[in-house]
Amino acid sequence: MTTTLRHEGKTALVTGGSRGIGQAISRRLAREGALVAVHYGYNHEAAERTVKEIEAEGGRAFPVHAELGVPGDADTLWEAFDRALADRGAQPGVDILVNNAGITMPRPIAQVTEAEYDRVFAVNAKAPFFIIQRALDRLRDGGRIVNVSSVATRVAFPAIVAYTMTKAALDYLTLSLAQELGPRGITVNTVAPGYTETEINPTLSIPEIRQRYSQASVFSRLGTPVDIADVVSFVASDDARWVTGQWIDASGGVHLGV
């Protein structure tokens, strides 16, 4: 465990919390004292592995299954969350909600089909909207909502246009919710990664692309999931109580000179 248990006594839900950035966020929040619901859509083994890793580090976690991007996904997620808390004898409700789950769409506009467009919006934009909507009665006053977006919403990146549109929608949701939920002491912020070492980006296996993406950062390297998790943990903590409605660049200074 870390010496700073700034999330002690809190309950967190991390969507897409079993792999990549989501896994790093789940582990970081748990190390700092939170009881973490590790959401997964398909890979039960990855979720169980993440929970076991958290428990081995002295933390507390449990898996929650719900496929996103299908009708009723938000209700399925929260019903599973509620049941899991009850089974553990934990108090109902949530303090920290991290909307991290997402899928990519690496195609320029001319190649995107209607079905692909609908799918990426269903998972990346519609699901978080209704997950938050259903969370409002569960989210405790003084809580935290963190939406994981992308630095791509601030630059032209035609190769992933549909994906980036979904993240831009999430950016606006942050802004609107921050004003609406402020009277309850709830902060809402966006954390926007840049080029990060995760399996969601298969092009990183191509040496030329990997080098170009690394050189886009002022630190001349790719980001890691832990880099992003550290920022999310801060935003989710009481240390960030005076920060809301913000788009926080966690890209390692990508494209600063552009």
Side-chain angles (χ1 to χ4, degrees):
M1 300 292 287
T2 61
T3 56
T4 304
L5 297 179
R6 60 184 174 185
H7 301 304
E8 189 169 16
K10 305 295 186 183
T11 300
L13 169 63
V14 181
T15 67
S18 66
R19 296 185 294 172
I21 291 173
Q23 182 195 52
I25 293 170
S26 295
R27 294 180 65 177
R28 178 61 188 261
L29 295 179
R31 280 199 300 273
E32 295 189 327
L35 169 62
V36 180
V38 178
H39 162 261
Y40 70 99
Y42 299 100
N43 196 328
H44 176 75
E45 292 76 15
E48 288 288 351
R49 184 166 57 249
T50 298
V51 169
K52 289 179 181 178
E53 289 171 352
I54 287 171
E55 291 174 341
E57 294 171 342
R60 300 174 300 144
F62 57 90
V64 174
H65 174 252
E67 180 184 353
L68 302 186
V70 298
D73 52 5
D75 289 328
T76 299
L77 173 60
W78 285 115
E79 288 166 6
F81 175 86
D82 292 342
R83 284 195 306 270
L85 282 185
D87 290 344
R88 297 178 63 91
Q91 290 295 318
V94 65
D95 301 283
I96 301 167
L97 170 60
V98 181
N99 286 299
N100 165 77
I103 59 174
T104 189
M105 179 59 60
R107 291 176 177 78
I109 187 170
Q111 297 176 12
V112 177
T113 68
E114 286 191 43
E116 289 170 337
Y117 179 95
D118 290 342
R119 174 65 178 161
V120 73
F121 266 86
V123 175
N124 293 6
K126 183 179 178 181
F129 182 97
F130 286 102
I131 288 170
I132 293 171
Q133 183 194 73
R134 303 298 200 270
L136 294 178
D137 293 337
R138 295 174 171 88
L139 191 63
R140 297 186 181 99
D141 290 353
R144 302 284 184 264
I145 297 174
V146 183
N147 295 320
V148 178
S149 178
S150 170
V151 75
T153 65
R154 294 300 194 270
V155 296
F157 207 153
I160 54 171
V161 58
Y163 166 83
T164 305
M165 288 173 66
T166 68
K167 294 301 187 179
L170 203 58
D171 291 351
Y172 177 76
L173 183 60
T174 290
L175 192 63
S176 180
L177 286 171
Q179 184 169 20
E180 180 175 351
L181 299 181
R184 292 179 54 191
I186 297 169
T187 69
V188 188
N189 290 288
T190 290
V191 172
Y195 302 116
T196 308
E197 185 94 58
T198 69
E199 60 191 43
I200 197 174
N201 191 348
T203 61
L204 292 179
S205 63
I206 303 172
E208 295 80 7
I209 293 179
R210 185 182 184 87
Q211 181 179 13
R212 185 166 74 248
Y213 287 176
S214 297
Q215 291 175 343
S217 163
V218 298
F219 302 117
S220 298
R221 70 169 176 88
L222 297 172
T224 69
V226 170
D227 291 328
I228 313 306
D230 290 352
V231 178
V232 171
S233 179
F234 164 71
V235 174
S237 75
D238 190 56
D239 293 338
R241 62 192 174 277
W242 204 235
V243 179
T244 194
Q246 299 306 300
W247 187 89
I248 300 169
D249 185 314
S251 73
V254 164
H255 300 310
L256 282 181
V258 175

